[in-house]
Amino acid sequence: MENLSGNTRKTRIRYAMLALVFINVMINYLDRSNLSVAAATLSKDLNLSTVEMGLIFSAFGWTYAILQIPGGLLADKIGPRVLYALCLITWSVATLCQGFARGFVSLFGLRLATGAFEAPSYPINNRIVTSWFPNHERASAIALYVSGQFIGLAFFTPVLVTIQYYFGWKGLFVTTGLVGLLWGVIWYFLYRDPLEHPRVNQEELNYIQKGGGLIEGKKVAAGQPSIWKWENLKQVIANRNLWGVYIGQFAMNAMLWFFLTWFPTYLVQYRGLNFIKTGYLASIPFLAACAGLLLSGFVSDYLIRQGKSIGMARKTPIIIGLIVSASIVGANYSTGTAAIIFFMALAFFGAGMALISWVFVSILSPKHLIGLTGGVFNFMGNLASIVVPIVIGFLVKGGDFKPALIFIGTLGLIGACSYLFLVGKIEQVTAPTEPKEQELLSTSK
């Protein structure tokens, strides 16, 4: 790659690319969570029971989880520029059409479509960060882009509530869908991979590559063996370390999907709060989760720079966060609004700390299977998006939300145990005949 800038000081184009991913994530989560904002009114208008709403909340997760592995393979096969633009546009059309749903079947089907089109998004995110960032900056980069889901939800939830208040739930879906359509076009014109960006210089490329960034890793190279093999899938599902990470991701996502689905309904219908007021109170846990995520990411990278092992630096914040997330049960024993929001915020702060878990995909996965590993990882984690909304729908149909919060808190503790007892020495997963990356072996439990 020619040094187009003509100077020896490295450019910082990787941060501009990270900012684009950050916006993608904000839009991604707005289109996941808009149903939770609309749920209380929508369920009355369409005469939907709590069990039916649980199924509709879970519909996104059915296709999203099932298509994670194909989505991960696509992320390895197709460049992020084209694939992400296609995903943004198609899931935004599905979101917009939800404003015209007339009952359970149509709404359920459109949520299935939204999940299907969003499926490759996080494997693509991981591919982009692995290409643009060296190892010692990667946890911070992941924390920054993942924070988009919480910052977007924290600041835009009151906006979504206001849109629904004035234009109804139909207007809410149409508005969020149009925003995504516009951004999909903008993404296509602005994003480039490292070796294709016209403004990146050789110094930045050398810095990224020397630190372990895969600057050439846009997609599977011509002539390279196909990744569409059962042997490759077996390689990333037969590893104990990865299973510990998968279980932890399920536990963390259980908390996330409670907040993305039932949380506003919990505040309005089970705690009797005003709908508009709920929009502002609901933003507090998302801000707390963002704070936990950023703290975890920067502390983890700081520990790496201080010479701590990868195992200690990466696992410790996640384990602490999952244990803290179990504090959601405290809301069962609180009566005042401030105390309820405190426990919700504390629990989501802990879940936010665990969200740097994506860094393990970059560390553990074989170099040529980063997208596939990310797909399996996200599939396992997003089984929670199917299970949790449905289980909560059944647990609360008698009018008591306490069992649901106990269920979520228990999963947090299970996730912490998976990192403590399953995730051992952190090293790259390799085929039996393939040498390990030596620079990743200086780790400990």
Side-chain angles (χ1 to χ4, degrees):
M1 175 75 184
E2 181 183 357
N3 185 340
L4 300 178
S5 65
N7 59 48
T8 59
R9 190 173 183 178
K10 70 177 180 289
T11 51
R12 296 176 177 270
I13 300 302
R14 63 192 183 280
Y15 296 115
M17 298 301 97
L18 186 63
L20 296 179
V21 175
F22 176 89
I23 296 172
N24 288 356
V25 171
M26 282 202 302
I27 293 172
N28 185 306
Y29 271 80
L30 285 177
D31 290 338
R32 297 187 195 196
S33 66
N34 50 15
L35 178 62
S36 70
V37 173
T41 304
L42 178 151
S43 61
K44 292 180 181 178
D45 289 351
L46 300 183
N47 195 27
L48 301 171
S49 68
T50 60
V51 173
E52 287 175 319
M53 281 307 301
L55 289 168
I56 290 171
F57 279 139
S58 76
F60 174 98
W62 286 95
T63 47
Y64 185 80
I66 290 169
L67 294 177
Q68 280 307 296
I69 295 173
L73 291 167
L74 284 174
D76 283 330
K77 194 81 174 174
I78 303 174
R81 182 189 181 200
V82 173
L83 184 56
Y84 226 143
L86 181 64
C87 290
L88 278 159
I89 290 169
T90 51
W91 92 53
S92 297
V93 170
T95 297
L96 187 153
C97 289
Q98 288 170 50
F100 303 95
R102 295 191 175 187
F104 173 83
V105 173
S106 58
L107 188 56
F108 187 84
L110 288 167
R111 293 300 290 182
L112 287 173
T114 306
F117 295 131
E118 284 197 22
S121 56
Y122 265 71
I124 300 172
N125 293 341
N126 195 60
R127 166 61 67 180
I128 291 169
V129 169
T130 304
S131 298
W132 273 104
F133 285 85
N135 287 327
H136 63 277
E137 292 183 358
R138 205 164 290 160
S140 300
I142 290 171
L144 285 169
Y145 83 68
V146 174
S147 72
Q149 67 193 52
F150 300 122
I151 292 175
L153 292 171
F155 288 100
F156 288 111
T157 295
V159 175
L160 296 180
V161 168
T162 303
I163 291 172
Q164 176 171 319
Y165 183 79
Y166 288 103
F167 301 103
W169 59 268
K170 296 177 183 289
L172 174 64
F173 287 118
V174 171
T175 301
T176 50
L178 289 174
V179 169
L181 279 171
L182 176 62
W183 180 251
V185 176
I186 294 173
W187 164 267
Y188 180 79
F189 284 104
L190 293 183
Y191 179 79
R192 296 293 187 279
D193 282 312
L195 294 179
E196 297 178 349
H197 202 288
R199 294 177 57 196
V200 68
N201 66 10
Q202 191 63 45
E203 285 68 32
E204 183 172 15
L205 292 175
N206 291 342
Y207 172 76
I208 295 168
Q209 190 169 38
K210 185 177 179 181
L214 305 181
I215 62 171
E216 75 286 351
K218 169 186 170 183
K219 55 184 177 182
V220 176
Q224 184 173 328
S226 173
I227 57 175
W228 299 78
K229 294 181 177 179
W230 284 110
E231 291 84 355
N232 290 335
L233 181 59
K234 182 179 178 181
Q235 192 175 343
V236 299
I237 63 173
N239 181 270
R240 171 178 164 169
N241 278 355
L242 284 173
W243 267 105
V245 173
Y246 297 155
I247 294 170
Q249 189 69 0
F250 179 93
M252 186 282 301
N253 270 351
M255 180 70 65
L256 175 63
W257 278 95
F258 161 70
F259 280 96
L260 289 178
T261 56
W262 282 101
F263 180 50
T265 300
Y266 168 71
L267 294 181
V268 173
Q269 294 188 358
Y270 295 87
R271 289 297 189 170
L273 300 184
N274 174 270
F275 180 71
I276 291 292
K277 185 177 181 181
T278 295
Y280 291 93
L281 291 176
S283 68
I284 296 174
F286 290 111
L287 288 173
C290 181
L293 171 63
L294 294 175
L295 174 66
S296 181
F298 286 107
V299 167
S300 181
D301 278 350
Y302 172 78
L303 292 173
I304 291 290
R305 290 193 295 271
Q306 294 299 306
K308 304 299 182 183
S309 70
I310 293 178
M312 183 269 187
R314 301 312 195 200
K315 288 196 292 184
T316 302
I318 295 174
I319 293 168
I320 293 173
L322 287 167
I323 292 171
V324 171
S325 74
S327 64
I328 194 170
V329 176
N332 283 342
Y333 306 98
S334 304
T335 54
T337 300
I340 294 168
I341 297 299
F342 168 78
F343 281 111
M344 292 289 165
L346 180 62
F348 215 9
F349 174 86
M353 290 183 66
L355 267 170
I356 64 163
S357 51
W358 266 99
V359 76
F360 283 105
V361 176
S362 299
I363 296 172
L364 296 174
S365 65
K367 274 190 174 182
H368 66 297
L369 299 177
I370 292 173
L372 176 60
T373 309
V376 174
F377 171 81
N378 221 19
F379 166 75
M380 297 294 187
N382 276 283
L383 289 176
S385 67
I386 301 171
V387 173
V388 170
I390 294 176
V391 171
I392 291 178
F394 279 97
L395 289 175
V396 306
K397 67 180 181 179
D400 185 4
F401 217 95
K402 290 180 180 179
L405 298 187
I406 293 172
F407 168 65
I408 299 297
T410 301
L411 288 177
L413 294 178
I414 291 173
C417 290
S418 76
Y419 273 96
L420 282 168
F421 302 115
L422 288 181
V423 181
K425 187 176 183 180
I426 307 303
E427 58 186 15
Q428 187 180 52
V429 177
T430 59
T433 58
E434 186 180 0
K436 292 182 173 65
E437 292 281 330
Q438 293 303 313
E439 65 269 21
L440 295 181
L441 295 181
S442 57
T443 62
S444 63
K445 293 184 181 180

